[in-house]
Amino acid sequence: MAKSKAVPYLRVYVWEFPVRLYHWVNAACIVLLIITGYIIGSPTTIRYADEAYQQYWFGTVRFIHFVTAFIFFFNFLVRIYWGFAGNRYARWKNFIPLSRKQWREILEVLRVDILQIRSGEHISLGHNALAGFIYFLTFLVFLFQAATGFALYSSMSSSWLPGLFTWVIPLMGGDFAVRQWHHLAMWFFVVFSIIHVYLVFYHDYVEGRGTTSSMVGGWKFEKEDILKKK
Amino acid sequence: MAADNPTIYASMLAKGYTRRDFLRFCSYAATLAGVEASGLATVVKAFETKPRPPVIWLHFQECTCCSESFIRSSHPIVADILFDYLSLDYTETLQAAAGHQAEKCRLDTMKNYSGKYILLVEGSVPMKDDGVYCMIGGESAESILRESAEGAAAVIAWGSCASNGCVQSAKPNPTNATPIHKIIHKPVINVPGCPPIGDVMTAVVTHILVYGNMPELDSQGRPREFYGRRVHDTCYRRPYYDAGLFVESWDDENARKGYCLYKMGCRGPVTYNACSVTRWNEATSYPIQSGHGCIGCSENGFWDNGPFYQHLANFPGFGIETTADTIGTVVGIGAAAGVAAHAIATNIRKKKLIEEHKEESVTEKGGES
Ligand code: HEM
Ligand code: HEM
Ligand code: SF4
Ligand code: SF4
């Protein structure tokens, strides 16, 4: 048995309420959008009546997709705002690797994730630099999905928000192409979700700082001496 | 400059039509141009007073289906009169003149009616190899187009060829077939479709005759009146779509019942055209009414979005029958498998990975772990 070298940890409030709320609303929306979107693309046969006026399930699925889409979009806008108003862990700077330190950290996280070895480089308590950068790319895909989605929606709606995205259609060469890209991007979200959830668990395990529960309560844990050094 | 043409009314009278015929023509034309009943007087006045504009109708890389469609508009009197009295000064398919004589007609019209004639273009223009793939009277399509567009009062691109390239521009587009709005620097009215609906064509021309200006266009240069909504929006099978009642194969019971063709690849939801409103051939039917999905013939690049009987296009570069879903599923399973393999590797290496945590841990009593 290894000898105990117990060290004191401190509780740090990392994810403020707006970030946590954003996270779970976002996750729920994305799951719903993937499910309803997939059904819109390849509807299964659900028949409980012979005549059209007696059933409406496909219309309902589309309705859920659109309502969720609006929630998803405004929720995302809140997160962008919080990137400028929130605490240091939520700031936009975490998402764009501009400093050398962030690049060193990216290499370290790659070592941990792929080679499964640690060199001792400290991994940030908030988003690690790699995760932050991946989220940044993900945010771009959010925008892409919203732009293509609202562009498609503009033909069924006369409200101003979808109207802002009509320029996407000629740019991509028509509604068919827009729908095709929108559909393809769905798979990005599927793959992201699988890997993201796994990596949360994995980093919780190898870092031992309470990553998983941090998105629920907001707290993470860090060694006292590391916090003092800063 | 030569004298103006006579008015449409004058030339109709000269041909032996009566005032009654003329008024009938006006009311058809008004209906087509979407003028309300109280506006009829405007139309009558326009045709009584405005000189009829000369028309040049050019044919480039095309199949003449647009011309065919045009002469089949539901109100033949309108097409007849437009053809007879519009003074179609030049159109390869219908004119009597040939050879140098024909080209002279075009050049004369361009010279004598500069700034007044209407230019109608059917077909795309090959831009590759100096345009050798479409030469008329020794001149390339591109130079004929540029020259004729110069003094045109209005330019209309007939059909998908002239509006977006159609089949000639489908991959790999061997002649670099190009729609005309990408060549000339003038506003172009795009009237896409393969072919466009005859009534829509007459209506667009009528609009120009009556109002002397362009109809309201959308972001892709198409008249909003006819291309503002999707085939799907006014499709009579739409209730089946919302109900989720779909045809599953061409010969099933659902097809017989007339359910929605969405799962058979119908492009109605992504196609802007008036088919489900005006219908075709004197409003007899339109593809969906006849049991076949829309293939999106009025949409940019519709030939490359195939196969027509599949909801998603094939994914380029992955051979036939590979859609975004096939690729997505493979990548998704790959991700899941990768994650599972990673979890196993983690378990194997766990001694090393979480050694530190073990060392740092304490038991509840504060003793060693
Ligand atoms: C994570 C985000 C999203 C995912 C995964 C997603 C997924 C999908 C999928 C797979 C389709 C089916 C495409 C097809 O017919 O092949 C679809 C359709 C659609 N989505 Fe989304 N979507 C998302 C966000 C949005 C947003 C933000 C909007 C904005 C309004 C939107 C609007 C639409 C519209 C209008 C359609 C077309 C529905 C129809 O054909 O009637 N989507 N979506
Ligand atoms: C489909 C589901 C999910 C999606 C789309 C998603 C998306 C995201 C996004 C976009 C962020 C960046 C947050 C920010 O703006 O700062 C994030 C962070 C995070 N998520 Fe999720 N998430 C999902 C599910 C989960 C689940 C199930 C957990 C685990 C309980 C989780 C835990 C976390 C944690 C702990 C972080 C921050 C830690 C880090 O920097 O890596 N997420 N997630
Ligand atoms: S048949 Fe085509 S256009 Fe008509 S409702 Fe179905 S999908 Fe839409
Ligand atoms: S239904 Fe579709 S494919 Fe058929 S003519 Fe109309 S736009 Fe073209």
Side-chain angles (χ1 to χ4, degrees):
Chain A
M1 276 274 111
K3 269 202 80 175
S4 172
K5 296 186 258 171
V7 284
Y9 271 73
L10 291 182
R11 186 196 304 278
V12 183
Y13 190 48
V14 176
W15 310 124
E16 299 153 291
F17 180 69
V19 174
R20 275 143 45 213
L21 182 70
Y22 154 79
H23 180 272
W24 293 114
V25 170
N26 186 53
C29 284
I30 287 180
V31 170
L32 254 180
L33 285 165
I34 290 173
I35 295 171
T36 53
Y38 186 80
I39 295 174
I40 293 170
S42 4
T44 41
T45 308
I46 303 178
R47 229 175 102 172
Y48 47 89
D50 264 356
E51 294 304 332
Y53 70 90
Q54 292 164 317
Q55 66 176 59
Y56 192 74
W57 73 265
F58 195 59
T60 308
V61 169
R62 291 176 60 244
F63 179 72
I64 296 172
H65 192 82
F66 305 148
V67 172
T68 316
F70 275 84
I71 300 173
F72 164 82
F73 183 69
F74 285 106
N75 186 51
F76 178 52
L77 293 188
V78 170
R79 181 64 182 90
I80 293 182
Y81 165 73
W82 206 249
F84 296 91
N87 67 13
R88 54 188 294 190
Y89 304 104
R91 290 265 157 177
W92 64 272
K93 278 196 177 146
N94 293 292
F95 297 97
I96 306 167
L98 294 174
S99 70
R100 285 187 72 97
K101 183 184 173 305
Q102 280 168 308
W103 281 106
R104 276 207 310 275
E105 194 176 321
I106 287 182
L107 286 181
E108 170 68 5
V109 176
L110 286 175
R111 268 195 295 270
V112 173
D113 288 358
I114 297 170
L115 305 175
Q116 302 198 318
I117 49 170
R118 300 210 53 171
S119 75
E121 174 84 26
H122 177 249
I123 296 181
S124 301
L125 189 56
H127 298 309
N128 70 55
L130 181 64
F133 186 51
I134 298 290
Y135 297 142
F136 175 68
L137 299 181
T138 308
F139 291 164
L140 294 183
V141 185
F142 285 2
L143 285 179
F144 177 85
Q145 199 68 342
T148 51
F150 280 116
L152 286 173
Y153 194 60
S154 65
S155 63
M156 329 165 187
S157 154
S158 46
S159 81
W160 60 274
L161 182 60
L164 294 180
F165 294 94
T166 44
W167 52 272
V168 175
I169 294 170
L171 188 73
M172 290 191 167
D175 281 43
F176 186 93
V178 176
R179 190 175 76 181
Q180 184 90 358
W181 282 107
H182 189 76
H183 192 119
L184 186 63
M186 170 191 77
W187 289 105
F188 168 84
F189 287 92
V190 173
V191 172
F192 170 84
S193 302
I194 295 172
I195 297 178
H196 168 70
V197 173
Y198 174 74
L199 281 182
V200 168
F201 292 169
Y202 174 70
H203 276 265
D204 190 319
Y205 189 62
V206 297
E207 291 175 22
R209 299 188 292 185
T211 308
T212 312
S213 66
S214 73
M215 244 334 139
V216 180
W219 285 286
K220 277 189 154 188
F221 304 89
E222 186 61 288
K223 286 178 190 153
E224 192 178 8
D225 55 338
I226 291 182
L227 285 171
K228 290 240 170 80
K229 243 187 271 167
K230 288 211 192 153
Chain B
M1 225 168 102
D4 271 342
N5 274 335
T7 64
I8 289 191
Y9 181 44
S11 40
M12 277 185 78
L13 290 183
K15 283 265 176 163
Y17 284 94
T18 62
R19 169 118 188 130
R20 177 171 284 269
D21 292 327
F22 170 69
L23 290 177
R24 253 179 66 209
F25 163 69
C26 289
S27 52
Y28 279 135
T31 318
L32 279 175
V35 179
E36 59 172 336
S38 62
L40 187 57
T42 330
V43 181
V44 175
K45 184 127 190 276
F47 289 161
E48 274 173 341
T49 54
K50 286 192 196 155
R52 59 190 166 88
V55 172
I56 296 178
W57 184 315
L58 298 175
H59 297 253
F60 298 135
Q61 298 193 124
E62 44 92 337
C63 72
T64 316
C65 77
C66 301
S67 302
E68 288 285 348
S69 181
F70 189 63
I71 58 179
R72 275 166 187 72
S73 2
S74 351
H75 305 296
I77 186 169
V78 178
D80 274 359
I81 286 173
L82 292 181
F83 265 127
D84 288 356
Y85 299 106
L86 260 178
S87 57
L88 202 52
D89 293 290
Y90 179 91
T91 171
E92 283 98 336
T93 14
L94 297 170
Q95 68 197 353
H100 292 299
Q101 207 188 358
E103 290 307 309
K104 188 170 174 299
C105 290
R106 181 171 66 84
L107 296 175
D108 285 349
T109 306
M110 282 166 44
K111 196 163 89 224
N112 298 337
Y113 298 98
S114 180
K116 291 189 180 152
Y117 61 91
I118 303 179
L119 180 67
L120 312 178
V121 185
E122 192 175 345
S124 62
V125 174
M127 299 295 275
K128 207 167 152 195
D129 301 329
D130 296 326
V132 292
Y133 304 106
C134 184
M135 308 282 289
I136 298 155
E139 244 193 291
S140 74
E142 184 193 350
S143 93
I144 296 177
L145 173 65
R146 284 189 196 280
E147 187 181 78
S148 313
E150 190 72 27
V155 183
I156 302 182
W158 281 152
S160 291
C161 302
S163 315
N164 52 45
C166 207
V167 69
Q168 309 85 286
S169 74
K171 284 184 193 104
N173 192 356
T175 66
N176 189 16
T178 307
I180 65 165
H181 65 87
K182 292 204 178 144
I183 298 175
I184 60 177
H185 308 289
K186 255 192 175 178
V188 173
I189 306 172
N190 285 327
V191 187
C194 189
I197 304 168
D199 291 326
V200 168
M201 299 172 77
T202 6
V204 173
V205 175
T206 311
H207 179 103
I208 296 178
L209 293 183
V210 173
Y211 294 108
N213 62 12
M214 303 254 255
E216 195 196 342
L217 304 179
D218 68 6
S219 59
Q220 297 180 55
R222 305 170 297 195
R224 253 182 221 287
E225 177 83 12
F226 305 103
Y227 296 90
R229 294 165 90 191
R230 302 170 300 163
V231 170
H232 181 65
D233 291 322
T234 48
C235 178
Y236 78 105
R237 298 196 185 201
R238 179 63 190 261
Y240 293 111
Y241 170 88
D242 290 323
L245 292 171
F246 301 112
V247 173
E248 310 277 340
S249 81
W250 289 114
D251 50 3
D252 66 0
E253 177 66 9
N254 300 350
R256 202 184 57 77
K257 285 188 175 143
Y259 287 175
C260 165
L261 296 162
Y262 185 68
K263 286 178 84 171
M264 305 309 292
C266 180
R267 303 287 192 254
V270 286
T271 302
Y272 294 80
N273 208 341
C275 304
S276 42
V277 179
T278 65
R279 312 203 178 201
W280 285 78
N281 302 320
E282 300 182 39
T284 308
S285 180
Y286 71 115
I288 293 161
Q289 193 175 343
S290 308
H292 191 284
C294 168
I295 60 171
C297 77
S298 58
E299 285 292 310
N300 182 25
F302 76 103
W303 290 103
D304 290 329
N305 293 336
F308 293 143
Y309 304 110
Q310 199 171 282
H311 177 75
L312 288 176
N314 281 340
F315 202 81
F318 283 86
I320 52 168
E321 313 253 309
T322 308
T323 66
D325 278 352
T326 331
I327 310 256
T329 311
V330 170
V331 177
I333 291 173
V339 158
H342 196 277
I344 294 169
T346 306
N347 202 41
I348 293 169
R349 291 185 59 88
K350 74 174 167 219
K351 281 228 172 70
K352 280 240 158 59
L353 278 169
I354 58 166
E355 195 178 43
E356 197 194 35
H357 305 339
K358 287 241 170 92
E359 289 169 2
E360 288 170 5
S361 304
V362 291
T363 53
E364 275 221 49
K365 281 181 217 140
E368 290 183 10
S369 58

